[in-house]
Amino acid sequence: MPHCRLLLAAVALLGAVAAAVAQQPLASPSDLAGLYSLRASLGLRAREWPARADPCTAWAGVTCRAGRVVGVSVAGFRRTRLASRVPAFAVDGLRNLTALELFNASGFPLPGKVPAWFSRGLPPPLAVLDLRYAAVNGTLPADLGSSGNLTRLLLSGNSLSGQVPETLLSVKGLRVLDLSTNNFTGELPSVSLGAGDVAASLFNISGNSLYGVATHAIGALKTRFRLVDVSSNYLDGNWNGSDATVDVSVNCFSGVSGQRRRVDCEDFYRREGVRLVDFPVPTPLPQPSPEKRPGISKNVLIGVLAAAAALMVMFLVALLFCLTRRRQRGGGRGVETNEEGARSMRRRDSSVNPVASSPVAVSPSADATPKDAIAVFGELTYEQLVHATGGFGDDNLLKYGHSGDIYHGVLENGAHVIVKKIGVKSINKVSSELDFYSRYSHERIVPLLGHLANNDEEFLSYKYMPKADLTNALHKKPVDTDEDLHSLDWITRLKIATGVAEAMCFLHDECSPPFVHRDIQASSVLLDDKFEVRLGSMSNICAQQSAGSQNVFSRILRSSKSLDKNTSGPPATCSYDVYCFGKVILELVTGNFGVSGSNDACSEEWLANTTNRISTSDKDSIANIIDPLLVVDEDHLEEVWAVAIVAKTCLNPKPSRRPSARYVLKALENPLRVVRAGSRSNSARLRSSSSRSSWQSAFLQGNRYQSYEVMSPSGRMLDRRSSVRSHISGGEASSSFKRSLREIAPDPQVLDEDVAV
């Protein structure tokens, strides 16, 4: 027993020492100089990399171990306004980071050629280099990767040209090489498995302009990589299409289907000045001449045609009847996708944009074949998901989501993931979410690591968020908090609100067409270890409805609240997201648990009473609604007041008078300007239509005309006034779909009009 106690004490001591080493500040002057060099050359904003702060603890995307920088990720970051005018591939600061193991700049613009010093000047420990969709151009250095220990090199989605250096395929330890969707030309490079090399996972060079006879080169690549994707090129030769580990579709091969037209191949080879090899095509055997048979009687032919016509008429009548019944049962608004459409949408190969922001993720698809299995920290299979989540047991179950059960999992390498298990009844809800992730990624959206289909179930794996969601962070008990913090301070709450607004701005303004989240609440706001926001719960996301998608009759039905309850889902409008976000802001200000995720009568009553107490001219009006656990000074109290005004404006019962997400973000970034502009509300500058003051007036003037009504998501108005005024309104319909500036954030001179929504 004494020996066991000593052993346990030693293990605990080692764990404490390891944690202290991982959390210690940056200790290398060379690493510090390299980081500040990157900060200047890339033009990074102080929001992500603040000056006079320790990079290991305060800089987003910087990972340290034992006081050294081992990982740098600028994926999804933005340059400053000045630096964005002359962006360039300037990353010389990496030379100073001699302990760097990962550099991720996917989606960050780095226009220019890959520097020549990348050949032999990369840090020796560098294992992952991710430059996907970074606007890189030019040719690759001849000896790229020869000085490092690269295991994953991801360069897809750029404008790289020239030939692929054969030395790149000879880098020992390289497991994933993705060169897809570039402008590479020439012949397919060949490589053989040398002594000491290990079989790699993926070689993807699809979507380029490679040509020439490639049969033997592909065979050599198969000895090095388990999966080889050379689709969408102009490669020539004979190929046996029975190999499932090689994708040769959309080329010029003979003997396999799914190739380009011969005339297109000939035109391409003629432009390149290369001869297209003509392989012999088997001559078809002569067909015996048909024997003359007795003719069919005219009466028999007429009878057959009449019967066929009668069957066709009956089929059309039955089809029309089924469509009518289906429209009656499932009519109304909403975005639905049938299961076949969901399957076909995900029937993509690994050459498309990966659905993960992780540099080790490969684009997954829905099939369960070895080629289409997802690759997260290697290749993740269904059996590994079962093992990671403890067989999807109750001990690992986090909650029952409306689209699937959420589990916490730990992979074999110790990495934490979140896995959503989706049953057959909810599979249709996955299509919109996968469609969004296949096209977009953003620093404020929780990363989707992979997707896997197994029989009648589907699984989505997400990045693990250490601080869980806003509900857990804001309302957990004092005994559960770290460092004896009983509540989130105001700076952190304002930071969280700003992060959610940035996510809404991305969905509403930067996506085309605009996307609507439709489920913004405290439980959808996920937080990492630095309380940075990652918006989750994306199962309800869909493209915003256009004004043309609704007719007059549907507006009248919606305004009279006579639609079927089965079709009254969340509105697909940007103004609905703003309304839900207003409730999240009120929850941050008041600390009232669960108000953002509830739509019952009590919550609506509370919203009406709370918004009535918020005055745009009296700071003391929030004294009775502010969270009693929130301790703020006089300056911060004014900020809380301003943010409460923003929440009240977002909760305006008329969608056309709610501010746009862009205006909400400006207000949260400058909350004091919202209330301090009130003294100038009657001046000519505020009445002007300039863009400088319009976002401020959207809050001050908008609240001047706001009634004491609070609208529930179902479209029902709670009237708190003595006189009831009727509006033809149905929540989020008709004119709010027109995304003009007047409706998203109306100017003061039109706010006194009676807008019927």
Side-chain angles (χ1 to χ4, degrees):
M1 290 297 293
H3 296 289
C4 295
R5 293 178 180 176
L6 289 176
L7 181 60
L8 292 176
V11 171
L13 180 61
L14 289 175
V17 171
V21 170
Q23 296 177 359
Q24 63 180 325
L26 184 61
S28 171
S30 174
D31 288 359
L32 183 63
L35 289 176
Y36 271 95
S37 175
L38 284 176
R39 185 178 186 271
S41 62
L42 297 179
L44 300 180
R45 300 180 300 177
R47 177 184 303 172
E48 287 83 19
W49 287 16
R52 303 185 186 90
D54 182 68
C56 289
T57 58
W59 286 19
V62 176
T63 305
C64 299
R65 185 170 58 244
R68 297 298 305 275
V69 177
V70 297
V72 174
S73 175
V74 295
F77 286 7
R78 298 180 183 176
R79 298 178 185 265
T80 62
R81 183 177 301 177
L82 181 62
S84 60
R85 297 177 181 175
V86 286
F89 198 132
V91 292
D92 291 348
L94 294 179
R95 295 185 177 187
N96 291 13
L97 307 178
T98 54
L100 188 67
E101 299 175 3
L102 178 146
F103 180 67
N104 182 3
S106 60
F108 187 86
L110 293 173
K113 299 181 179 180
V114 178
W117 59 266
F118 266 45
S119 297
R120 300 185 179 276
L122 291 175
L126 186 64
V128 177
L129 180 59
D130 188 352
L131 300 177
R132 292 172 296 169
Y133 297 91
V136 184
N137 54 47
T139 59
L140 292 178
D143 298 328
L144 177 62
S146 60
S147 63
N149 295 310
L150 285 178
T151 60
R152 290 176 175 84
L153 179 59
L154 309 174
L155 300 175
S156 62
N158 290 292
S159 300
L160 296 169
S161 57
Q163 294 187 346
V164 179
E166 291 190 2
T167 55
L168 181 60
L169 301 178
S170 302
V171 176
K172 293 184 178 181
L174 189 62
R175 295 181 57 82
V176 176
L177 178 58
D178 189 356
L179 305 176
S180 61
T181 321
N182 279 285
N183 298 323
F184 288 114
T185 58
E187 296 185 354
L188 184 66
S190 178
V191 66
S192 59
L193 189 64
D197 290 345
V198 294
S201 299
L202 173 70
F203 174 75
N204 187 355
I205 199 168
S206 62
N208 286 279
S209 299
L210 302 181
Y211 55 83
V213 179
T215 306
H216 298 293
I218 295 176
L221 288 171
K222 287 173 55 181
T223 65
R224 177 71 190 276
F225 298 93
R226 289 200 295 267
L227 299 178
V228 177
D229 189 350
V230 296
S231 61
S232 299
N233 283 282
Y234 290 88
L235 300 174
D236 193 10
N238 272 327
W239 184 257
N240 180 8
S242 61
D243 195 340
T245 63
V246 179
D247 188 354
V248 298
S249 60
V250 197
N251 277 285
C252 300
F253 285 106
S254 300
V256 63
S257 60
Q259 301 298 301
R260 299 181 187 272
R261 296 187 307 168
R262 197 66 178 176
V263 63
D264 295 335
C265 296
E266 293 174 352
D267 291 341
F268 175 83
Y269 274 74
R270 188 181 303 109
R271 291 194 303 268
E272 296 293 330
V274 185
R275 186 176 67 88
L276 179 64
V277 178
D278 293 325
F279 289 92
V281 179
T283 304
L285 297 176
Q287 298 294 331
S289 57
E291 299 179 357
K292 292 185 178 181
R293 297 180 180 179
I296 301 177
S297 157
K298 182 178 180 180
N299 294 332
V300 174
L301 181 60
I302 293 176
V304 171
L305 293 178
L311 289 175
M312 183 63 68
V313 171
M314 293 175 61
F315 173 76
L316 292 177
V317 171
L319 180 61
L320 182 61
F321 176 76
C322 293
L323 291 176
T324 304
R325 291 292 301 275
R326 181 179 180 182
R327 183 172 301 175
Q328 290 175 352
R329 291 196 304 265
R333 58 188 171 88
V335 179
E336 298 182 357
T337 305
N338 57 29
E339 182 176 359
E340 183 62 29
R343 297 284 184 182
S344 63
M345 185 273 294
R346 299 190 293 273
R347 205 172 294 140
R348 304 283 298 276
D349 56 32
S350 60
S351 66
V352 296
N353 303 351
V355 298
S357 60
S358 171
V360 295
V362 178
S363 175
S365 66
D367 298 331
T369 60
K371 174 186 174 183
D372 293 325
I374 61 174
V376 179
F377 303 97
E379 291 183 356
L380 199 60
T381 63
Y382 172 73
E383 289 74 16
Q384 290 174 309
L385 284 179
V386 173
H387 178 74
T389 58
F392 295 102
D394 293 339
D395 293 340
N396 289 53
L397 179 64
L398 299 180
K399 67 176 181 178
Y400 296 101
H402 55 268
S403 63
D405 299 338
I406 310 297
Y407 294 86
H408 172 234
V410 181
L411 302 179
E412 295 178 355
N413 61 357
H416 293 255
V417 294
I418 297 297
V419 180
K420 178 161 67 174
K421 179 181 178 183
I422 304 165
V424 64
K425 295 182 179 180
S426 302
I427 286 181
N428 289 339
K429 298 182 179 180
V430 183
S431 58
S432 297
E433 183 174 359
L434 290 181
D435 176 62
F436 170 80
Y437 275 114
S438 66
R439 293 188 287 168
Y440 300 104
S441 64
H442 191 263
E443 59 178 337
R444 294 302 182 194
I445 305 296
V446 62
L448 176 67
L449 300 180
H451 163 243
L452 181 67
N454 184 65
N455 297 328
D456 292 333
E457 295 179 326
E458 298 200 22
F459 303 88
L460 299 179
S461 56
Y462 304 90
K463 183 178 180 180
Y464 174 72
M465 295 290 112
K467 298 296 184 182
D469 55 35
L470 178 57
T471 301
N472 179 75
L474 187 60
H475 302 293
K476 58 185 177 182
K477 300 178 182 179
V479 296
D480 297 331
T481 55
D482 300 330
E483 302 177 3
D484 297 327
L485 294 178
H486 291 187
S487 180
L488 295 180
D489 58 79
W490 173 245
I491 298 299
T492 304
R493 299 189 191 201
L494 183 58
K495 173 184 178 181
I496 292 172
T498 305
V500 180
E502 289 177 348
M504 278 202 313
C505 281
F506 170 73
L507 295 176
H508 296 180
D509 297 331
E510 299 183 30
C511 295
S512 180
F515 275 84
V516 185
H517 187 276
R518 302 202 299 170
D519 192 22
I520 296 179
Q521 53 179 296
S523 61
S524 305
V525 180
L526 308 180
L527 304 171
D528 65 8
D529 54 347
K530 298 179 181 178
F531 288 97
E532 294 291 343
V533 169
R534 301 292 187 272
L535 189 60
S537 300
M538 308 294 290
S539 57
N540 282 337
I541 194 169
C542 67
Q544 180 184 217
Q545 289 180 342
S546 61
S549 64
Q550 302 184 20
N551 54 35
V552 176
F553 299 103
S554 64
R555 299 177 193 175
I556 296 175
L557 287 174
R558 187 172 295 115
S559 63
S560 62
K561 310 176 186 63
S562 61
L563 288 178
D564 194 308
K565 292 183 179 180
N566 294 330
T567 64
S568 58
T573 62
C574 294
S575 60
Y576 177 74
D577 278 356
V578 174
Y579 180 84
C580 296
F581 181 47
K583 296 200 292 185
V584 174
I585 299 178
L586 271 191
E587 190 163 339
L588 287 169
V589 171
T590 64
N592 190 6
F593 177 79
V595 65
S596 62
S598 177
N599 298 317
D600 55 23
C602 294
S603 298
E604 294 173 354
E605 184 78 14
W606 181 87
L607 281 176
N609 295 330
T610 303
T611 53
N612 287 343
R613 296 179 181 180
I614 302 173
S615 172
T616 58
S617 58
D618 183 11
K619 179 173 63 176
D620 296 333
S621 62
I622 65 168
N624 294 328
I625 68 171
I626 192 171
D627 187 355
L629 298 179
L630 183 60
V631 180
V632 293
D633 55 19
E634 188 66 22
D635 290 338
H636 286 164
L637 181 61
E638 191 173 9
E639 282 190 348
V640 177
W641 175 40
V643 172
I645 293 175
V646 173
K648 181 177 181 179
T649 312
C650 294
L651 292 170
N652 196 303
K654 293 186 177 181
S656 62
R657 292 183 180 174
R658 297 172 197 159
S660 66
R662 177 166 50 91
Y663 280 27
V664 174
L665 177 59
K666 286 186 177 181
L668 294 177
E669 289 176 340
N670 304 277
L672 294 180
R673 292 181 62 184
V674 174
V675 292
R676 291 176 182 176
S679 59
R680 304 190 300 271
S681 61
N682 295 323
S683 64
R685 179 167 57 176
L686 186 57
R687 290 194 302 269
S688 66
S689 59
S690 64
S691 60
R692 191 179 189 88
S693 62
S694 59
W695 70 270
Q696 295 167 304
S697 61
F699 296 96
L700 296 174
Q701 300 286 352
N703 280 291
R704 176 179 301 178
Y705 301 98
Q706 181 171 343
S707 66
Y708 294 99
E709 299 168 334
V710 173
M711 186 184 68
S712 69
S714 62
R716 181 162 56 93
M717 295 282 191
L718 292 180
D719 197 340
R720 306 298 304 164
R721 300 174 299 180
S722 58
S723 62
V724 180
R725 187 172 59 179
S726 175
H727 296 278
I728 302 178
S729 173
E732 310 295 322
S734 76
S735 62
S736 64
F737 298 130
K738 300 178 181 178
R739 303 189 67 253
S740 63
L741 180 59
R742 177 165 297 194
E743 291 178 317
I744 297 174
D747 291 333
Q749 57 266 30
V750 301
L751 284 174
D752 55 351
E753 299 175 2
D754 187 12
V755 182
V757 181

